[in-house]
Amino acid sequence: MKRNLAILSILLAAGIGAFAQQTTKLSKDQVRQTVKQLSAALLATYVFPEKAENASVFLHSKIDSGLYDNIPDPNLLASTLASQLKPLLGDKHFRVVYNPLLEKEILSYNNSLTPPAGELQSEMKKNFYFRKVEMLPGNIG
């Protein structure tokens, strides 16, 4: 049992190491575009618009100064952005993370002109996960 656990631990460590080595390297333009998209996402969706505006101004000043230009590692960029924005937003739950699996999925989806075969029909059969639509008391939909 201990031997199997040790072998499993070694395999997991080796797999994680191999996975970590496959990290995408970002160009200067990709870094700038990523930070600009983060800024736009904050402005469009963050719960406190005034804090999102402050964060956006902060991010654009850092882009203009070239602070992020030499951070080609997406994990390091994400942790840098999170550590700078968390105190600025005053939000203990705010996170910026790099997810290589999600990146791969988004890139494959963006590279295809049509969704994978049958995906739309499958989603339609599930009614896009809506079970019912109704108006509740207090005009809540």
Side-chain angles (χ1 to χ4, degrees):
M1 178 71 173
K2 287 183 180 181
R3 182 175 175 236
N4 290 342
L5 187 58
I7 291 171
L8 180 61
S9 298
I10 291 168
L11 290 174
L12 282 174
I16 290 169
F19 187 72
Q21 291 175 352
Q22 296 174 353
T23 301
T24 303
K25 295 295 179 194
L26 301 173
S27 69
K28 177 180 167 180
D29 290 335
Q30 288 173 318
V31 168
R32 287 175 175 238
Q33 187 63 32
T34 299
V35 177
K36 287 178 184 177
Q37 288 175 346
L38 173 60
S39 172
L42 283 168
L43 288 171
T45 62
Y46 195 67
V47 67
F48 300 112
E50 64 283 351
K51 289 184 178 185
E53 181 63 36
N54 290 341
S56 179
V57 169
F58 172 83
L59 289 172
H60 283 279
S61 72
K62 297 304 180 188
I63 292 170
D64 294 341
S65 72
L67 179 70
Y68 306 121
D69 290 350
N70 295 318
I71 307 178
D73 178 8
N75 289 307
L76 181 58
L77 179 63
S79 65
T80 300
L81 291 167
S83 67
Q84 291 176 342
L85 291 174
K86 193 178 280 192
L88 185 66
L89 295 170
D91 187 343
K92 294 178 184 177
H93 303 286
F94 183 79
R95 304 279 187 273
V96 180
V97 295
Y98 169 64
N99 182 336
L101 298 177
L102 181 59
E103 175 192 27
K104 191 176 198 177
E105 185 178 319
I106 290 170
L107 290 175
S108 69
Y109 184 81
N110 286 343
N111 289 335
S112 68
L113 297 176
T114 58
E119 184 176 312
L120 180 59
Q121 290 77 18
S122 172
E123 294 298 317
M124 288 172 69
K125 284 181 184 177
K126 293 184 270 185
N127 196 30
F128 300 96
Y129 295 96
F130 285 97
R131 296 202 176 130
K132 66 179 180 177
V133 177
E134 65 180 302
M135 192 62 78
L136 301 173
N139 202 26
I140 298 172

